């Protein structure tokens, strides 16, 4: 009986005491340690590999090159991250690509051995990040929506506009940098593969490994009890996962491959550099007559990852005309991927700034501008929303922030000039098919089983809360066994979808269990009430203990499988193919201080109000949102992964030379509001998903607040001191 309660994390003690085992912690006797030898050039070929010296080093067992590796079938991307697989041929497509794998009895021997491998290269011409021509994305698995979209005639819409705004907004590439680096331990037992892995999607990893090695999915077991953060860079299956398994096969021994922090930069992904041109037209009163949004993102030479920032342009504001486009710039870099918050994260930055700029031209408050252009239906296709309480979020957020009574922009406080800004937040509702098994035992305890990967977002607490609530037992009586592909298949832990999808499968299982309890208690299911472990007829007496009901019916336990299949499909994006458009919404309000003499920017306070459906655990939900707000501050003010154009490599492949938010950057005044909402179209649970929306809108609100404070419009993230001193 705990849904809606702010329980602290059930897995908290395990994590802070080190009892929680992550992939590289798993004991795997007899395992060889694998270390990558990586290419120092961004393009070209390997011409020779001399392993003699490495093999002579004590402890080194094998040096595997493309010649030794089995030919892996290209697994479909996604869920494989890329159609390109290193160590299959001599070609180099990006700096940091593995060209050999050293296997040794100890990590130290493998690391030393990797330095002794002599590799000859023939460097080739290369295209640095940002230098490729913008081209139409080709289908390599990432074209998930229209590259071009139009509603009405944008040119005609802009022609009728009294006021126009057109500007280009850019953001740099940024890396995910989860605390736990990627790690894969692979073991073969005959033709059965077991991997201990750090992933966000257990079934996806199982399927792609099976595909690559020509196995049936049941021949691959993926075990991942905990993942130490992912943010999207563990969502898909990366080369190190395939290569660890291949190396174990060749060596005939288990293999442990842990990427170093530096190797994470070029061997898994990042959010790509995005350039967006936004064109808006409005009447003199501020009513939009047209929205244009053209987006170009960086991608690799192998795959066209598309960052669908235009989702923001198509979903935020009411407009009679709309035209959007998505293009990519290919180059010799590793492939980017979704990063919290993908799609609308970049999109809400450009749209949130552009709308602020236009509302200033019109001469009305940016909140009033948004109310004037409130999208009552999906602006792209006119479908009704499954739920949308953005008006309530605006009201409550503005009230809590004091938006209507804020100090005038540029108000001085010592050396600091104050400014306020706001922006819209939104994410599509990603829904994935999920199955769980639920057992209710005669002792009143329950066991929940699902393959679900825990990435530290609170699911290990909130999902048992749903069991507790629906079976009327205390949350302490619920055990959740997760993180293993042998368990019933839940959806992935990405797309802010875990609670919605796995939670809805739990509800389905619990409904079936309740029917069984009703039969055992001889009560009609609709009259059944289970509370605090007691079974009774609604309005009846004290009832009987659950255990007694089961025993009398000769049952030791009840068991049911629960399913969630969005729109009857394996996956559904934002209600496509349903009568409804499905999204989360919100608004974020910030106050910043700028020291114009030194170019310093400080966050003073932030209020976010969200329409995200039902909240299962207000504490873990709030933590997700403030994590997103801080992540958004990083995007706005600090983070950029520099890619050196002459050498074609990432600079500062570590966390020491990179600015990311720390406690000292973040004030305690982060305020999170959830409007009361239940969306029965997105899920029977009523939830819509909230893991990532907190990271949307923030960078726009900050850029808008900076303009309010000092009149400098920064359209090129991050907002570093040089840009505040420039004028
Ligand atoms: Mo998030 S980028 O869906 O892990």
């Amino acid at each position: 009986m705990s849904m809606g309660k702010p329980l602290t994390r059930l897995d908290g003690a395990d994590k802070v005491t080190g009892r929680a085992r992550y992939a590289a912690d798993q004991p795997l006797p007899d395992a060889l340690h694998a270390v990558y030898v990586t290419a120092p050039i961004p393009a070209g070929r390997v011409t020779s590999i001399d392993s003699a010296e490495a093999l002579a080093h004590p402890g080194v067992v094998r040096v595997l090159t493309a010649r030794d590796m089995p030919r892996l079938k290209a697994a479909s991307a996604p869920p494989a991250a890329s159609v390109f697989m290193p160590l299959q041929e001599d070609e180099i497509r990006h700096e940091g690509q593995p060209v050999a794998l050293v296997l040794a009895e100890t990590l130290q021997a493998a690391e030393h051995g990797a330095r002794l491998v002599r590799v000859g290269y023939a460097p080739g011409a290369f295209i640095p990040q940002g230098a490729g021509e913008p081209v139409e994305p080709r289908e390599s698995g990432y074209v998930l929506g229209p590259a071009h979209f139009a509603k009405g005639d944008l040119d005609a819409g802009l022609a009728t506009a009294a006021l126009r705004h057109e500007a280009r907004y850019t953001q740099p590439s940024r890396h995910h940098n989860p605390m736990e680096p990627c790690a894969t331990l692979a073991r073969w037992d005959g033709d059965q593969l077991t991997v201990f892995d750090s992933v966000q999607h257990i079934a996806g990893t199982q399927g792609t490994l099976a595909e690559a090695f020509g196995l049936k999915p049941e021949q691959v077991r993926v075990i991942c009890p905990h993942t130490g953060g992912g943010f999207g860079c563990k969502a898909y299956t990366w080369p190190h996962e395939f290569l660890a398994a291949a190396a174990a096969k060749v060596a005939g021994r288990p293999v442990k491959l842990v990427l170093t922090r530096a190797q994470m930069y070029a061997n898994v992904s990042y959010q790509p550099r995005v350039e967006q041109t936004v064109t808006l037209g409005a009447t003199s009163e501020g009513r939009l007559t047209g929205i244009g949004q053209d987006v170009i993102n960086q991608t690799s030479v192998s795959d066209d990852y598309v960052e669908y920032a235009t989702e923001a342009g198509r979903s935020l504001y009411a407009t009679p005309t709309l035209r959007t486009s998505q293009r990519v710039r290919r180059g010799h870099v590793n492939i980017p991927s979704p990063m919290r918050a993908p799609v609308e994260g970049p999109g809400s930055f450009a749209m949130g700034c552009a709308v602020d700029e236009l509302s200033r031209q019109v001469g009305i408050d940016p909140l009033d501008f948004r109310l004037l252009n409130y999208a009552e239906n999906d602006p792209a296709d006119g479908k009704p929303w499954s739920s949308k309480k953005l008006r309530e979020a605006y009201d409550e957020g503005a009230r809590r922030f004091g938006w209507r009574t804020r100090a005038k922009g540029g108000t001085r406080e010592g050396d600091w000039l104050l400014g306020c800004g706001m922006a819209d937040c939104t994410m599509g509702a990603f829904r994935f098919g999920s199955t769980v098994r639920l057992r209710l035992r005669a002792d009143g305890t329950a066991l929940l089983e699902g393959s679900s990967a825990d990435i530290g977002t609170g699911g290990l607490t909130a999902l048992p809360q749903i069991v507790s609530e629906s079976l009327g037992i205390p949350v302490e009586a619920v055990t959740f066994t997760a993180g293993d592909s042998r368990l019933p298949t839940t959806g992935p832990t990405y797309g802010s979808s875990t609670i919605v999808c796995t939670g809805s499968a739990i509800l389905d299982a619990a409904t079936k269990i309740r029917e069984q309890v009703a039969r055992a208690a001889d009560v009609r299911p609709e009259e059944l009430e289970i509370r605090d472990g007691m079974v009774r007829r609604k309005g009846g007496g004290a009832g009987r203990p659950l255990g007694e009901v089961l025993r009398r019916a000769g049952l030791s336990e009840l068991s049911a499988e629960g399913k969630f299949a969005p729109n009857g499909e394996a996956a559904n994006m934002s209600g496509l193919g349903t009568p409804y458009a499905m999204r989360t919404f919100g608004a974020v309000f910030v106050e910043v201080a700028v020291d114009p003499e030194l170019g310093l920017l400080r966050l003073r306070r932030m209020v976010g109000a969200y329409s995200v459906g039902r909240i299962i655990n207000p504490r873990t939900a709030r933590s997700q949102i403030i994590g997103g707000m801080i992540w958004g501050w990083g995007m706005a003010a600090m983070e950029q992964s520099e890619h050196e154009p002459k050498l074609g490599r990432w600079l500062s492949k570590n966390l020491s030379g990179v600015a990311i938010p720390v406690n000292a950057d973040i004030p305690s005044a982060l305020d999170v509001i959830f409007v009361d909402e239940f969306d029965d179209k997105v899920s029977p649970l009523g939830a819509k998903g909230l893991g990532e929306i907190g990271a949307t809108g923030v960078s726009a609100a900050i850029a808008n607040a900076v303009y309010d404070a000092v009149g400098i419009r920064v359209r090129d993230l991050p907002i570093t001191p040089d840009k505040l001193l420039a004028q």
Side-chain angles (χ1 to χ4, degrees):
M1 305 295 281
S2 61
M3 222 141 96
K5 297 220 173 85
L7 299 190
T8 54
R9 294 223 189 159
L10 301 174
D11 49 315
D14 277 356
K15 287 187 173 163
V16 298
T17 56
R19 270 197 305 266
R21 282 225 170 113
Y22 293 83
D25 304 332
Q26 300 291 341
L28 201 54
D30 201 32
L32 288 167
H33 295 262
V35 167
Y36 273 174
V37 176
T38 61
I41 56 168
R45 271 184 322 108
V46 174
T47 52
S48 63
I49 298 186
D50 180 355
S51 308
E53 218 182 316
L55 286 168
H57 184 70
V60 172
V61 174
R62 296 282 299 259
V63 176
L64 301 177
T65 69
R67 284 179 220 296
D68 308 297
M69 286 303 220
R71 297 286 78 88
L72 301 167
K73 283 193 207 130
S76 1
S82 168
V83 295
F84 173 59
M85 181 71 68
L87 278 170
Q88 296 281 294
E89 51 186 66
D90 292 336
E91 192 185 348
I92 308 291
R93 300 191 190 185
H94 64 84
E95 187 275 342
Q97 176 186 320
V99 295
L101 200 53
V102 176
L103 304 181
E105 299 292 349
T106 64
L107 177 61
Q108 290 73 13
E111 281 176 344
H112 193 79
R115 282 196 286 273
L116 300 176
V117 177
R118 308 287 168 228
V119 186
Y121 296 98
F126 79 98
I127 310 165
Q129 174 182 239
E133 284 302 311
V135 293
E136 298 295 307
R138 76 203 134 162
E139 176 54 273
S140 61
Y142 290 103
V143 178
L144 306 172
H148 293 273
F149 176 85
K151 179 182 90 169
D153 182 347
L154 176 65
D155 297 325
L158 294 173
T160 65
L163 299 163
R164 274 181 69 156
H165 168 73
E166 179 168 334
R168 185 167 168 274
Y169 302 85
T170 60
Q171 61 183 90
S173 294
R174 296 184 298 147
H175 280 80
H176 303 69
N177 278 317
M179 281 201 334
E180 182 205 18
C182 292
T184 305
L185 281 61
R187 183 183 73 208
W188 289 87
D189 301 288
D191 58 2
Q192 191 76 34
L193 170 65
T194 303
V195 293
F196 296 92
D197 210 350
S198 177
V199 300
Q200 291 178 242
H201 189 192
I202 283 177
T205 310
Q206 180 189 31
T208 46
L209 286 174
E211 212 177 322
F213 290 95
L215 303 171
K216 295 196 206 68
E218 51 274 22
Q219 288 173 280
V220 179
R221 182 177 183 191
V222 180
I223 301 173
C224 175
H226 299 289
T227 292
F231 310 113
C233 79
K234 296 172 183 170
Y236 302 142
T237 319
W238 289 93
H240 67 271
E241 295 168 272
F242 298 103
L243 296 176
K249 200 174 177 63
V250 174
R253 280 175 64 178
V255 163
K256 175 173 182 169
L257 173 56
V258 182
L259 297 186
T260 62
R261 179 63 63 192
Q263 287 168 348
M264 295 276 291
Y265 276 74
N267 285 286
V268 290
S269 52
Y270 56 97
Q271 183 170 73
R273 180 186 146 80
V274 185
E275 306 152 57
Q276 308 186 52
T277 304
V278 179
T279 314
L280 302 175
T283 64
S284 53
E285 297 79 41
R287 217 169 267 284
L288 283 165
T289 60
I291 296 178
Q293 187 187 9
D294 298 299
V295 176
I296 305 167
N297 68 268
Q298 179 63 44
T299 191
S300 67
V301 290
S302 328
D303 307 67
D304 285 351
Y305 171 72
V306 187
E307 188 69 56
Y308 279 99
T310 51
E311 281 282 301
R314 285 197 298 273
S315 59
L316 281 174
Y317 308 108
T319 176
T321 69
L322 182 56
R323 191 171 69 211
T324 64
S325 74
Q326 293 277 166
R327 285 178 298 166
V328 294
R329 286 188 202 274
R330 294 184 198 123
H332 290 88
V333 290
N334 45 313
I335 183 175
S337 83
M339 184 177 96
R340 183 201 203 195
V343 183
E344 293 89 345
S348 63
F349 161 61
M351 290 305 300
C353 291
V355 158
D356 194 77
E357 296 193 57
L358 182 58
S359 65
R360 284 179 184 272
Q361 265 198 59
V362 177
I364 63 174
D365 187 277
L367 178 53
D368 292 329
F369 183 95
R370 286 168 166 88
L371 290 167
L372 193 61
N373 293 288
Y374 195 83
E376 301 288 356
N377 301 305
D378 186 314
D381 59 17
K383 284 204 295 188
W385 303 113
S386 59
S387 68
K388 179 180 183 179
K389 286 196 175 174
L390 179 57
R391 245 192 215 99
E392 289 83 341
Y394 283 147
D395 280 358
E396 187 59 16
R399 194 184 60 75
R400 200 84 78 86
F401 184 85
W403 180 257
R404 299 292 186 186
T405 54
R406 66 192 188 275
K408 192 171 153 26
T411 295
R412 183 171 278 280
E413 206 182 276
D415 292 333
W416 300 94
L417 299 178
L418 306 186
C420 293
M422 67 155 301
D424 291 291
C425 310
T426 187
M427 280 295 285
F430 292 85
R431 299 182 300 157
F432 299 95
S434 283
T435 304
V436 298
R437 190 162 46 231
L438 188 56
R439 298 176 200 276
L440 178 64
R441 305 186 187 104
D443 64 1
T445 63
L447 176 64
L448 170 65
E449 296 172 297
S451 63
S452 190
D454 156 51
I455 58 166
T457 49
L460 294 181
T461 308
L463 295 171
Q465 284 181 259
I466 300 169
V467 176
S468 154
E469 179 81 16
S470 35
L471 293 183
I473 56 174
V475 73
E476 298 77 30
V478 183
T479 302
F480 182 16
T481 304
D484 189 331
S485 60
R486 290 204 172 155
L487 297 167
T489 306
T490 67
T493 312
Y494 56 67
S496 308
S497 64
T498 304
I499 299 297
V500 171
C501 305
T502 306
S504 295
I506 293 171
L507 276 192
D508 183 44
T511 304
K512 291 171 182 163
I513 297 244
R514 292 175 64 93
E515 283 165 5
Q516 297 175 39
V517 173
R519 261 199 303 281
D522 202 18
V523 174
R524 293 226 305 267
E526 58 278 16
E527 288 180 343
L528 177 78
E529 189 174 83
I530 315 177
R531 188 183 292 169
D532 301 329
M534 298 295 283
V535 178
R536 62 171 79 85
R537 182 175 278 116
K538 266 187 201 138
R544 288 187 287 149
L546 187 58
E548 191 190 309
V549 171
L550 263 57
R551 270 191 299 277
R552 282 218 197 154
L555 299 162
S556 60
E557 69 164 35
L558 302 175
S559 167
E561 198 173 79
K563 277 192 190 303
F564 176 63
N567 200 34
E569 298 164 300
N572 184 272
M573 265 172 66
S574 308
L576 275 178
T578 78
Y580 298 96
M582 301 179 181
R583 300 204 138 260
T584 53
F585 297 95
V588 65
F589 301 82
V590 304
E591 182 182 300
V592 302
V594 178
D595 180 334
E597 302 295 319
L598 299 176
L600 298 178
L601 169 61
R602 294 286 181 263
L603 177 62
R604 304 251 299 190
R605 59 199 182 96
M606 190 171 340
V607 175
Y610 304 92
S611 155
V612 291
R614 186 182 192 177
I615 302 301
I616 309 305
N617 181 324
R619 183 190 303 267
T620 53
R622 177 179 180 276
S623 292
Q624 282 300 293
I625 297 289
I626 62 173
M629 288 173 160
I630 296 166
W631 191 266
W633 173 259
M635 173 183 179
M638 306 177 92
E639 288 174 59
Q640 53 184 329
S641 294
E642 295 277 3
H643 199 261
E644 208 288 321
K646 289 214 169 54
L647 300 170
R649 53 154 284 176
W650 298 107
L651 290 177
S652 304
K653 294 177 176 180
N654 56 55
L655 286 174
S656 62
V658 171
I660 55 165
V662 297
N663 284 349
D665 297 306
I666 305 301
S668 57
L670 300 183
D671 200 357
V672 178
I673 299 156
F674 296 116
V675 298
D676 188 31
E677 188 173 56
F678 188 102
D679 188 327
D680 64 350
K681 313 285 189 309
V682 168
S683 71
L685 191 62
K688 287 198 279 186
L690 59 73
E692 298 176 279
I693 189 174
T696 68
V698 176
S699 51
I702 288 162
N704 297 340
V706 165
Y707 183 82
D708 191 51
V710 291
I712 299 174
R713 180 55 73 173
V714 182
R715 301 192 185 95
D716 181 26
L717 294 180
I719 308 171
T720 41
D722 52 310
K723 295 171 190 167
L724 297 177
L725 286 172
Q727 325 197 358

